[in-house]
Amino acid sequence: MVLLSSSTVRTERQLRVKSRQGGRIRVVRELYLREDIPCQSSLCVAGCLNSAESLSLLPSDVTHYVFPDCQVARDYLEILEAPEIRGIVFTQTVANSVQHDGSKRLYSRLRNIVKDPRRGSITFHNEFQKYAYCERQAREPLNDWHIRSTYQAAEWFYNHLAGQMPVVMVTQNQEAVAKYSNRTLNVFVMCLKDYLVGFLSSLTGAMDLYESLTAALESKTTKDRDYLGYLPSDVLEAGIKSGRYISGCINVNKHNAMTEAFVKRTGRDLKEESDSDILIHGTASRNRAVHGDKVVVELLPRSQWKGRSLSIKELGDKTGETTGDGETTSDDMSSVMPTGRIVGVLQRNWRDYVASFSADEEAQKNANKAGKVLLIPWDYRIPKIRISTRQVGTLREDRIIVRIDSWDVDSQYPNGHFVRSLGKIGELETEIAALLVENNISVPPFSDLQLKELPTDTQEQPWTMVEEEVSVRRDLRQSHLIFSIDPKGCEDVDDTLSIRQLPHGNYELGVHIADVTYFVKPGSLSDVEARSRSTSVYLADRRYDMLPTILSANLCSLISGVDRYAMSVIWELTPDFEVKDVWYGRTVIRSQYKLFYELAQSIYDGAADEDIVSNVPELHSVDQSKVKERLSELKWAVCKLMEVARVLKSRRVSGGALELESVEVRVEMDDSKKIDDLTPKDHLEIHDTIAECMIFANHWVARKIAEVYPNQALLRHHPLPRQDHFANLINCAASKGFTIDVSSNKALAASLDSCVDSADPTVNKLLRTLATQAMSNAQYFSTGSLARDQFFHYGLALDLYTHFTSPIRRYADILVHRQLLAAIGADSHARLPGNKELDELSNHINQKHRASQNSQRDSQEIFQALFFRDKSPNDASCIVDAVIFQIRANGVLAFLPRYGIKGPVYLRNKDNLVANANADRKCEWTGGSLSRTDTSITITSPFGSHTYKLFDHITVQIILMHSRAHSSALKLELISNTPHLEDNLQHRETSHSNKADIIKEVRSAAEDKKSELPFTDLSSNFLQLKAEYGQTAENHSLYCVFQSFREMGLTVD
């Protein structure tokens, strides 16, 4: 200390504070201690400067003054807020502790007490008062110093007022009570409970509140509910390197969001005891991490490991919301798995979130007054978000976009802010916009500058080939019969085929792909936009192109009868179809025929010449004397192509290639290019033929670029599936007496081929679907970022694979085209991305690819919900057959062949009542019990017992569950334990029309609703919305709409 004057002393306080980098630095602060710090008491006889109007005064009509210590002020402030308690003195030490160790909200509440003159309470600046100041001793614990400072201030206050007013220091530290309670007469030190009993026994509810707060504090301690601060970054990094901590992305279980989240182990984090994910049980252990964040996890002791829930939970089930720990009985829990808690967040993955206001009118009234409101996100995996807004009345019926700004350690919810509104809840365009935002898909209209750098093709200014470019390409227009085979009505053709027999008996097979790289130069505006989008997005009723229409549906489309630039791979094959030579390069082609799948198949099957000619427009203008010759050439090419593809596929299958199940839909268009019908797509051999040729080309291109660029080639990897993911497949197959061998892809393929039940064709279909679900996701990667023995593609049984054949709709294919051109020397000036850049780009493309798949699934669910919205539960379309494919603790999971829908069927509800399907085809909930095995579940009730087994057919009723905050969902309710015979007998006749009805009825309803809205011309607005989101014009939106109602499974190509 340094004496500056008789009334002022300068001293120093040494602090250790945390830097932004996580380290600790030493800070020295000067303090000036004075004698004239006002006590703010009306009883003061020492002449303190208490006359300032801004100062509240301690009253003289109370029996004592109260000095709470830091812990009491932080944990029990709610008691001190009672208006009956007056004369509270919060020392500066206590106020600082509440501000820095508590929260802003808590500190604001403390200040409100002080600012309220009715409370007669003050903040006393003891750390500036010369005689009340208490210097912290060397190595003194912070809590001990807090208590000593509070006591010294209380003692000084009592002496300063000449003993006129007794003083009570309140603490929860029993050692402090024992140490200080008898030190000074009339300076009482006691615990809060004793204080309430001795001084405030008449205060109604004070003890009840104390007990409640104490129980909550104990619950936080025992159940680990209190959010903890994250460890410093240097500690996290050291822990990850040493193996103590594990890093990874957190994935919250959508169906059990309050309780279950998982962090996937990667690379060096795999341990010998298990290769499973790490379970994060409860929101306390999640420690403010949000779905998608990159986190650091500390494994808990084995005694604290838990298992994942086996119960089916409804979306939005709030079990465990208040406790953060949804308790699960042993019967409802799987075997224990590694369990941990999050100790740090390496990278936030916060994005734009779609949210809406609660329907609770009282909550909205309070929000209007306070300006604070909790929003419910569209995504069940995201916690409620608190924002400040005065627009609750205006936006109450809207879906809005919000962003998270922060999540304080003491706050139950994150804080965010409002961005913009998407529109009214329930409107089709609003729901479509919401799913795009949720999947982080941005599809603005292509800019004028981007369109200006592209060529034009109009009647006034038609596009023509450049002679200099044609001269450096291989011209196949006169020498090769080139044709395309695509879905009927397809207009953006990106692949064509050719096959011919060479003079010496060998064959020449060609795959010719649209040369997008000729038009999309590296670094151009089109390239930057295509890279950002990475893929075209196909929804149930529309598509959003990666490239502008002038390219995707015109200049890059290999339609028949016009000259086009192409990238070709041409093989010379021996008579037994072994590859003798391969050629890669740029070509000029003219496709002669544009065939559709069914026509090509009928040509192979021997259709009459008249039928073929009538369906091939290119033959209509041919001289009759040459039609037979041209037709003979086409027949030979189609048949030979299928023969070659059959051999190629058999070789792959013999090597272990998998044939997985998916449901595809064929689109039928009317003359106005609108959807006329959707029919289940029968699997034809010609589908395999085209797919095999594309796989063959992708494989050989991968071989070439990996050979030339071993450390920076863009390939596609399908990793080995995790063995534990096959458990349900193996269990289901065993229930039918089949054995599944998952030791290799070859063994798995053979096992699936043998799992055939002649009495029920859905068995093999479902088993293949379950095998699809067990697969890992295929991903793009740079060859310099993965070990050479990991380059393989598990599902296709190929050592090298990439994507080359769809550059119109995939940016990865554009990159591969550029690498191939550089590899063959056709573009020696190309600047190819290095390994690091390519690795980052691969991750970006993978994310966009997953987002596109998720948006397809979400749009399917939206249209399904809208289709069933106005249906009566007793409508024929709502009573369907279902097949059980998984047994859970409180029900089953079932597959609906009619719609390709999967969902839960509850056999026990939240009230512990069990489902009983009566003779009237109604579900009655009654008392009873469930008993479960791996392959069956039995209901026992007063009406008897019934056992449901895997692959049993039952009848369910589809009920739409409306949701204001989320997308509406379909609920399946058991109404009969027998098959729905109408579905079984008429499935083929009805299934296709139902899916067509879903699109047609929903679109019709949306249009009707628009026409009913007053004062708004929504027909023009609809076109404006389409332009805003970059939707392709309807006359170009024919390709791949068949994906709209496919059963969403893994695509492993």
Side-chain angles (χ1 to χ4, degrees):
M1 290 188 181
V2 178
L3 182 64
L4 299 180
S5 67
S6 60
S7 62
T8 305
V9 176
R10 187 184 70 190
T11 186
E12 293 181 347
R13 174 185 293 179
Q14 297 183 8
L15 305 173
R16 287 188 177 274
V17 297
K18 186 188 300 182
S19 67
R20 291 183 176 179
Q21 290 73 29
R24 294 187 176 275
I25 57 178
R26 180 171 171 267
V27 177
V28 178
R29 292 179 180 172
E30 290 185 344
L31 291 176
Y32 293 87
L33 306 180
R34 299 155 43 192
E35 293 182 359
D36 58 349
I37 299 298
C39 66
Q40 303 178 64
S41 173
S42 59
L43 298 176
C44 180
V45 294
C48 290
L49 301 176
N50 294 327
S51 59
E53 295 182 1
S54 60
L55 296 178
S56 298
L57 293 180
L58 289 167
S60 58
D61 60 345
V62 295
T63 59
H64 61 278
Y65 292 155
V66 184
F67 279 73
D69 75 349
C70 298
Q71 182 185 359
V72 171
R74 288 195 309 264
D75 296 342
Y76 295 94
L77 188 64
E78 191 170 347
I79 293 177
L80 300 178
E81 287 175 321
E84 291 84 358
I85 304 178
R86 301 169 63 229
I88 305 174
V89 179
F90 296 103
T91 65
Q92 182 184 355
T93 304
V94 169
N96 290 342
S97 175
V98 171
Q99 182 179 13
H100 299 295
D101 299 330
S103 66
K104 291 181 180 179
R105 179 173 179 270
L106 196 66
Y107 181 63
S108 177
R109 289 164 57 190
L110 185 150
R111 288 179 55 83
N112 288 336
I113 295 175
V114 173
K115 288 187 294 185
D116 188 348
R118 296 170 299 179
R119 301 299 308 276
S121 300
I122 67 167
T123 299
F124 174 57
H125 296 277
N126 63 309
E127 295 185 12
F128 295 105
Q129 218 292 331
K130 181 177 178 179
Y131 301 109
Y133 173 72
C134 181
E135 188 171 359
R136 186 176 179 183
Q137 300 173 356
R139 301 183 183 278
E140 182 180 20
L142 181 63
N143 187 54
D144 291 354
W145 176 68
H146 282 165
I147 293 174
R148 192 162 61 87
S149 295
T150 306
Y151 178 79
Q152 185 158 324
E155 187 179 43
W156 176 88
F157 224 93
Y158 175 75
N159 293 328
H160 178 74
L161 297 179
Q164 298 180 76
M165 182 69 68
V167 172
V168 179
M169 173 182 164
V170 183
T171 180
Q172 289 295 84
N173 189 305
Q174 294 297 330
E175 293 181 0
V177 173
K179 182 176 181 180
Y180 296 111
S181 59
N182 298 318
R183 179 171 294 188
T184 303
L185 184 65
N186 285 334
V187 178
F188 302 95
V189 181
M190 59 183 63
C191 67
L192 181 58
K193 183 177 182 180
D194 291 341
Y195 173 73
L196 294 176
V197 172
F199 289 86
L200 298 171
S201 57
S202 61
L203 185 57
T204 305
M207 279 303 300
D208 292 339
L209 181 57
Y210 170 80
E211 297 293 346
S212 176
L213 292 173
T214 302
L217 290 170
E218 293 175 351
S219 175
K220 288 181 180 181
T221 302
T222 57
K223 292 191 176 183
D224 194 26
R225 273 291 297 146
D226 199 13
Y227 289 137
L228 303 176
Y230 298 136
L231 297 178
S233 58
D234 55 344
V235 175
L236 295 177
E237 292 174 5
I240 294 171
K241 290 180 180 179
S242 66
R244 178 180 179 183
Y245 302 137
I246 300 168
S247 64
C249 287
I250 185 169
N251 181 22
V252 178
N253 182 357
K254 177 181 179 180
H255 299 277
N256 195 5
M258 294 308 304
T259 305
E260 288 184 352
F262 302 91
V263 175
K264 185 176 182 180
R265 300 171 185 256
T266 56
R268 60 179 290 120
D269 294 329
L270 293 177
K271 302 297 182 182
E272 64 278 357
E273 69 263 24
S274 174
D275 64 350
S276 66
D277 296 342
I278 299 171
L279 172 66
I280 309 297
H281 188 83
T283 54
S285 295
R286 205 177 300 171
N287 196 11
R288 296 171 291 137
V290 178
H291 174 76
D293 286 349
K294 187 176 182 181
V295 299
V296 179
V297 178
E298 179 183 34
L299 281 178
L300 298 175
R302 282 181 177 269
S303 59
Q304 298 180 33
W305 286 10
K306 298 177 180 289
R308 67 176 69 206
S309 173
L310 295 179
S311 295
I312 308 170
K313 294 204 174 183
E314 293 184 18
L315 290 172
D317 189 345
K318 299 301 182 183
T319 303
E321 182 170 12
T322 56
T323 64
D325 185 16
E327 297 297 332
T328 307
T329 65
S330 58
D331 291 338
D332 295 345
M333 188 172 65
S334 68
S335 56
V336 296
M337 61 187 297
T339 307
R341 66 184 183 94
I342 292 174
V343 295
V345 175
L346 297 179
Q347 182 178 348
R348 290 293 191 183
N349 193 36
W350 294 345
R351 55 174 175 81
D352 286 354
Y353 298 101
V354 178
S356 56
F357 293 89
S358 169
D360 186 351
E361 293 294 333
E362 190 64 30
Q364 302 308 325
K365 291 178 182 178
N366 294 335
N368 284 326
K369 294 177 182 178
K372 295 279 188 178
V373 62
L374 279 176
L375 297 178
I376 306 173
W378 165 293
D379 190 340
Y380 289 96
R381 299 168 297 186
I382 307 302
K384 294 177 182 178
I385 302 171
R386 181 184 290 109
I387 68 168
S388 297
T389 181
R390 299 293 182 182
Q391 304 181 60
V392 177
T394 305
L395 301 174
R396 181 181 291 122
E397 301 303 322
D398 288 11
R399 293 212 189 280
I400 65 174
I401 297 177
V402 296
R403 291 175 185 157
I404 295 178
D405 298 321
S406 64
W407 195 342
D408 298 331
V409 69
D410 60 337
S411 177
Q412 186 177 1
Y413 303 109
N415 300 310
H417 65 273
F418 166 78
V419 178
R420 62 185 174 91
S421 171
L422 293 176
K424 298 300 180 184
I425 295 173
E427 292 185 358
L428 179 60
E429 292 304 315
T430 300
E431 304 304 297
I432 294 296
L435 75 85
L436 292 176
V437 172
E438 277 299 308
N439 288 291
N440 198 24
I441 294 176
S442 176
V443 282
F446 297 108
S447 67
D448 291 338
L449 289 176
Q450 180 181 346
L451 297 177
K452 285 180 181 178
E453 73 177 13
L454 298 175
T456 58
D457 186 26
T458 62
Q459 291 183 350
E460 298 78 16
Q461 190 177 356
W463 176 82
T464 58
M465 287 186 170
V466 180
E467 288 301 322
E468 292 81 0
E469 180 66 27
V470 173
S471 65
V472 297
R473 292 173 177 261
R474 184 174 173 180
D475 195 338
L476 308 179
R477 289 176 289 184
Q478 303 301 324
S479 58
H480 289 65
L481 172 61
I482 298 175
F483 56 93
S484 63
I485 304 177
D486 288 287
K488 192 173 184 178
C490 175
E491 292 186 359
D492 48 351
V493 181
D494 53 10
D495 58 84
T496 55
L497 301 160
S498 67
I499 188 167
R500 64 175 182 168
Q501 189 168 19
L502 301 175
H504 49 70
N506 287 349
Y507 296 96
E508 186 184 78
L509 171 66
V511 172
H512 316 282
I513 307 300
D515 189 2
V516 175
T517 57
Y518 173 79
F519 299 98
V520 181
K521 304 298 182 182
S524 64
L525 295 178
S526 297
D527 182 60
V528 172
E529 181 64 26
R531 175 184 296 214
S532 175
R533 301 190 183 201
S534 292
T535 180
S536 295
V537 179
Y538 300 94
L539 304 184
D541 67 332
R542 66 194 72 186
R543 93 170 186 240
Y544 301 100
D545 286 328
M546 183 183 75
L547 298 174
T549 302
I550 184 64
L551 298 182
S552 62
N554 189 355
L555 302 183
C556 290
S557 182
L558 307 181
I559 54 180
S560 61
V562 295
D563 295 343
R564 289 289 182 255
Y565 294 138
M567 279 287 294
S568 301
V569 183
I570 301 175
W571 300 267
E572 183 179 346
L573 305 177
T574 63
D576 56 356
F577 307 136
E578 294 288 349
V579 177
K580 182 179 180 181
D581 192 17
V582 60
W583 179 88
Y584 309 91
R586 277 179 153 162
T587 56
V588 179
I589 68 169
R590 181 186 298 137
S591 176
Q592 297 187 33
Y593 302 104
K594 182 175 176 290
L595 308 180
F596 53 92
Y597 284 120
E598 292 76 12
L599 175 60
Q601 184 66 49
S602 68
I603 291 175
Y604 177 79
D605 293 338
D609 290 354
E610 295 78 8
D611 294 335
I612 298 175
V613 171
S614 64
N615 283 285
V616 180
E618 293 85 352
L619 292 176
H620 295 174
S621 59
V622 177
D623 187 89
Q624 289 298 319
S625 61
K626 296 182 179 180
V627 168
K628 188 172 183 180
E629 179 185 353
R630 294 278 299 273
L631 191 57
S632 176
E633 293 174 349
L634 178 59
K635 286 182 178 180
W636 181 91
V638 170
C639 294
K640 184 57 66 174
L641 189 66
M642 295 182 70
E643 182 183 352
V644 172
R646 196 179 302 121
V647 173
L648 296 179
K649 182 178 180 180
S650 66
R651 290 173 183 165
R652 270 198 321 108
V653 171
S654 65
L658 299 174
E659 294 185 67
L660 301 177
E661 181 64 32
S662 64
V663 176
E664 294 186 356
V665 178
R666 181 178 66 234
V667 179
E668 295 182 358
M669 300 287 177
D670 59 19
D671 294 337
S672 61
K673 306 301 182 183
K674 294 184 178 180
I675 297 175
D676 183 58
D677 205 353
L678 293 177
T679 60
K681 183 178 176 182
D682 294 329
H683 186 75
L684 306 174
E685 185 182 354
I686 193 65
H687 294 139
D688 292 337
T689 298
I690 303 305
E692 200 60 41
C693 291
M694 299 303 110
I695 292 171
F696 197 52
N698 289 334
H699 170 58
W700 277 88
V701 170
R703 291 177 59 170
K704 183 63 177 179
I705 62 175
E707 174 188 353
V708 179
Y709 302 108
N711 296 316
Q712 60 185 83
L714 181 64
L715 301 185
R716 190 157 174 83
H717 167 56
H718 185 217
L720 293 170
R722 285 184 14 196
Q723 296 298 305
D724 57 324
H725 286 181
F726 285 117
N728 191 41
L729 170 64
I730 294 173
N731 187 50
C732 285
S735 69
K736 282 289 187 178
F738 302 126
T739 301
I740 299 291
D741 184 354
V742 296
S743 59
S744 67
N745 51 357
K746 185 174 182 179
L748 176 60
S751 298
L752 291 174
D753 288 341
S754 65
C755 296
V756 177
D757 185 344
S758 58
D760 189 358
T762 60
V763 170
N764 187 263
K765 181 178 181 178
L766 264 176
L767 289 177
R768 292 186 184 274
T769 301
L770 295 177
T772 302
Q773 294 176 345
M775 295 293 110
S776 303
N777 288 323
Q779 293 188 325
Y780 300 103
F781 71 99
S782 173
T783 49
S785 300
L786 199 63
R788 179 63 181 82
D789 60 357
Q790 296 296 310
F791 288 5
F792 61 85
H793 195 291
Y794 176 85
L796 298 178
L798 294 172
D799 59 339
L800 296 171
Y801 192 69
T802 191
H803 274 165
F804 164 78
T805 55
S806 296
I808 291 178
R809 61 185 179 93
R810 292 190 303 233
Y811 188 72
D813 300 55
I814 293 179
L815 292 175
V816 170
H817 277 227
R818 291 172 181 165
Q819 290 185 339
L820 179 61
L821 288 170
I824 62 176
D827 190 356
S828 57
H829 301 291
R831 192 203 72 80
L832 301 179
N835 175 63
K836 182 178 179 180
E837 181 183 353
L838 189 60
D839 185 54
E840 294 174 352
L841 190 52
S842 297
N843 291 332
H844 169 74
I845 295 173
N846 288 330
Q847 292 173 3
K848 290 298 184 180
H849 186 69
R850 285 192 298 270
S852 176
Q853 290 181 325
N854 292 338
S855 65
Q856 291 178 34
R857 179 201 62 209
D858 292 344
S859 70
Q860 171 190 345
E861 293 174 354
I862 286 176
F863 271 78
Q864 287 171 345
L866 292 175
F867 174 71
F868 287 105
R869 180 173 59 185
D870 299 323
K871 302 288 185 185
S872 166
N874 295 319
D875 189 279
S877 61
C878 297
I879 309 296
V880 294
D881 187 62
V883 185
I884 298 172
F885 69 90
Q886 193 173 28
I887 305 295
R888 302 297 287 270
N890 59 339
V892 299
L893 297 182
F895 172 68
L896 281 57
R898 183 172 179 178
Y899 296 111
I901 296 173
K902 298 174 187 173
V905 180
Y906 290 89
L907 299 180
R908 182 179 64 208
N909 63 15
K910 293 181 180 179
D911 299 324
N912 277 329
L913 301 178
V914 298
N916 176 61
N918 59 32
D920 296 331
R921 298 172 72 85
K922 292 183 179 179
C923 181
E924 293 183 0
W925 295 95
T926 182
S929 62
L930 292 182
S931 58
R932 179 177 60 90
T933 68
D934 289 340
T935 59
S936 66
I937 185 169
T938 300
I939 296 179
T940 303
S941 71
F943 299 97
S945 63
H946 186 84
T947 299
Y948 298 91
K949 300 178 181 179
L950 289 174
F951 295 109
D952 277 359
H953 287 252
I954 57 177
T955 302
V956 298
Q957 185 178 52
I958 301 175
I959 302 173
L960 181 64
M961 304 299 293
H962 294 280
S963 175
R964 173 185 172 86
H966 313 282
S967 60
S968 300
L970 301 182
K971 179 181 178 181
L972 309 181
E973 187 168 287
L974 175 72
I975 62 172
S976 175
N977 49 33
T978 59
H980 186 55
L981 296 180
E982 183 179 355
D983 263 12
N984 291 338
L985 294 175
Q986 303 179 8
H987 170 63
R988 293 188 60 86
E989 289 75 14
T990 60
S991 60
H992 71 278
S993 61
N994 282 311
K995 293 192 176 184
D997 288 345
I998 290 177
I999 287 184
K1000 289 193 291 185
E1001 289 195 23
V1002 168
R1003 296 179 79 178
S1004 175
E1007 292 299 327
D1008 291 344
K1009 186 174 182 180
K1010 290 177 182 178
S1011 65
E1012 295 171 1
L1013 293 175
F1015 310 116
T1016 306
D1017 182 8
L1018 285 185
S1019 59
S1020 60
N1021 189 41
F1022 180 66
L1023 296 175
Q1024 190 175 13
L1025 285 169
K1026 288 170 66 177
E1028 177 182 351
Y1029 289 100
Q1031 182 182 343
T1032 302
E1034 286 189 5
N1035 61 327
H1036 297 307
S1037 61
L1038 308 179
Y1039 180 66
C1040 278
V1041 187
F1042 64 86
Q1043 300 208 31
S1044 59
F1045 282 94
R1046 67 184 303 178
E1047 175 189 352
M1048 297 305 296
L1050 172 71
T1051 301
V1052 298
D1053 64 341

